[in-house]
Amino acid sequence: MAKEIRTIGVMTSGGDAPGMNAAIRAVARACAYYNVKCIGFYRGYQGMIEGDYCEMNARSVRNIISRGGTILKSARSQEFRDVEGRKKAANNLKKIGVDAMILIGGDGTFRGGEIFSKEYDIPVIGVPGTIDNDIAGTNFTIGYDTALNTVIDAIDKIRDTASSHDRLFFVEVMGRDAGFIALNTGVGAGAEEILIPEEDLGLDRLLESLKRSKRSGKSSSIVVVSEGDKIGKNVYELADYISENLPDYEAKVTVLGHMQRGGSPTCFDRTLASRFCVKAVELLLDGQQNVMVGIINNKITATSFEEGLKEGYGINKELLRISDILST
Ligand code: ATP
């Protein structure tokens, strides 16, 4: 029989994402609603290892739904990757009386959680919170929608200056392994080309495409580049290469960087976080464990970590075709 859950712990881990606060709020409020004690751990797994925590009630999460970042802070914990680190974390949970954990983070956070849960028989539920949207067990992760809107807003502004000066801009966006942000913002902002890790466009084709658009009468262009694109040059080298081979354009580079992680979450991310975390608490109270919550076809779902983290969850390449057609 599943053990009774009287105290639930919550933490945020990995890269921070807008909407993590809305998620923490939803955990604390759902716990209060169901009369369960809620403990917040600071700095993800590192706080569990160090016993750095606070007790949370419905009032301790007031006025945070609209705030970016995470009041519990986030971290990447090297120590938790080792058996010794996880043992310290398990001992602390026992000492504090935490019966189960809700882990808000990305794929790494879930992988760590799965190992930990198996080692110490502690129920965990994963809540996908990452701007990367790179988790198979959900159509959307918390923070992704806000990041898309932040990037679109920035590219729109770059477009204003690009067209005033007849310039070509390479805009680098986040996404080391996944091109979701680049692909969707590229289409949404009307980019000339989109370079993503999943597809190697090749320098020749990029050059050809830019030449073609110049011939068709375009005086300025935007190329959205994912951090991890496979063309083999970093964004500055890329701009230099194009400037050398296409002197008609003055090529400039903007790296959007960490601004993509910040800002007040969109309504979509706040609602998503709220739905995910009420479900996470209810799953634990129902005796379920070692699953991640997700949203698939607008239904909140529970998927095993194994299934939810499976490889090969690809971007929608149809968007590349749409982009090709619309950048004519
Ligand atoms: P993001 O997608 O935003 O980068 P993430 O959750 O994938 O978020 P990671 O740094 O990969 O971020 O993972 C978060 C933490 O999870 C790591 O710092 C580490 O403490 C723990 N972790 C990740 N993988 C493992 C693993 N294989 N074993 C144990 N712990 C792990």
Side-chain angles (χ1 to χ4, degrees):
M1 206 180 86
K3 67 175 176 184
E4 195 192 346
I5 306 289
R6 280 170 306 207
T7 303
I8 292 177
V10 58
M11 54 79 134
T12 48
S13 161
D16 63 316
M20 279 183 163
N21 277 329
I24 296 165
R25 170 184 180 269
V27 172
R29 295 259 163 108
C31 282
Y33 181 85
Y34 287 112
N35 225 359
V36 173
K37 196 162 147 187
C38 181
I39 299 287
F41 286 91
Y42 292 105
R43 295 172 291 121
Y45 289 123
Q46 200 55 36
M48 287 163 61
I49 291 170
E50 293 172 16
D52 188 10
Y53 66 95
C54 62
E55 223 179 291
M56 305 186 90
N57 59 39
R59 294 288 77 75
S60 43
V61 289
R62 61 158 70 101
N63 290 339
I64 66 166
I65 195 166
S66 59
R67 279 165 55 190
T70 154
I71 59 165
L72 290 177
K73 316 263 181 197
S74 191
R76 301 189 197 270
S77 168
Q78 199 49 43
E79 229 183 316
F80 193 79
R81 292 179 182 270
D82 299 331
V83 180
E84 273 310 302
R86 293 195 294 275
K87 190 171 170 191
K88 282 187 201 162
N91 285 342
N92 278 328
L93 294 194
K94 200 163 167 209
K95 204 158 76 191
I96 302 161
V98 174
D99 302 309
M101 284 296 304
I102 293 179
L103 314 169
I104 305 166
D107 56 335
T109 300
F110 294 176
R111 285 203 175 88
E114 190 181 20
I115 294 168
F116 181 66
S117 171
K118 281 187 181 146
E119 279 173 348
Y120 295 99
D121 193 26
I122 294 171
V124 305
I125 303 282
V127 174
T130 165
I131 64 167
D132 295 335
N133 206 45
D134 57 348
I135 298 181
T138 186
N139 295 152
F140 298 104
T141 56
I142 299 167
Y144 174 56
D145 184 65
T146 307
L148 290 183
N149 283 289
T150 301
V151 171
I152 280 281
D153 192 42
I155 298 180
D156 285 349
K157 287 174 177 150
I158 291 165
R159 164 89 62 197
D160 290 345
T161 173
S163 61
S164 303
H165 287 273
D166 293 348
R167 279 174 178 155
L168 165 65
F169 264 89
F170 286 87
V171 183
E172 188 188 270
V173 302
M174 281 190 172
R176 246 180 258 289
D177 305 308
F180 290 96
I181 294 180
L183 193 52
N184 284 276
T185 58
V187 171
E192 201 55 49
E193 280 296 346
I194 305 168
L195 307 182
I196 53 174
E198 293 85 348
E199 190 96 346
D200 185 357
L201 180 69
L203 280 173
D204 292 344
R205 266 179 62 200
L206 174 65
L207 201 58
E208 211 29 64
S209 159
L210 293 172
K211 277 184 185 160
R212 210 173 35 244
S213 67
K214 194 77 183 164
R215 282 197 301 270
S216 77
K218 287 190 186 178
S219 55
S220 68
S221 285
I222 304 277
V223 177
V224 178
V225 186
S226 202
E227 279 172 310
D229 92 278
K230 293 286 185 295
I231 213 159
K233 290 185 184 292
N234 72 36
V235 69
Y236 294 99
E237 292 167 344
L238 206 55
D240 287 345
Y241 177 85
I242 296 297
S243 295
E244 279 161 26
N245 289 280
L246 203 60
D248 291 353
Y249 271 124
E250 188 188 354
K252 296 278 180 195
V253 172
T254 297
V255 176
L256 295 185
H258 283 80
M259 68 175 288
Q260 293 164 86
R261 291 195 181 282
S264 177
T266 57
C267 180
F268 181 88
D269 277 332
R270 296 180 201 191
T271 310
L272 189 68
S274 303
R275 293 176 74 188
F276 276 172
C277 289
V278 168
K279 178 75 171 184
V281 170
E282 288 175 344
L283 284 170
L284 284 174
L285 297 182
D286 264 359
Q288 291 210 47
Q289 53 178 293
N290 307 349
V291 292
M292 58 160 285
V293 295
I295 185 164
I296 296 170
N297 298 331
N298 202 26
K299 289 245 165 9
I300 303 298
T301 52
T303 310
S304 70
F305 285 127
E306 195 189 344
E307 185 66 18
L309 294 176
K310 72 172 186 255
E311 299 287 322
Y313 168 57
I315 46 116
N316 179 3
K317 289 202 177 158
E318 170 68 359
L319 282 177
L320 284 176
R321 197 178 73 84
I322 301 289
S323 170
D324 270 353
I325 293 172
L326 298 182
S327 60
T328 303

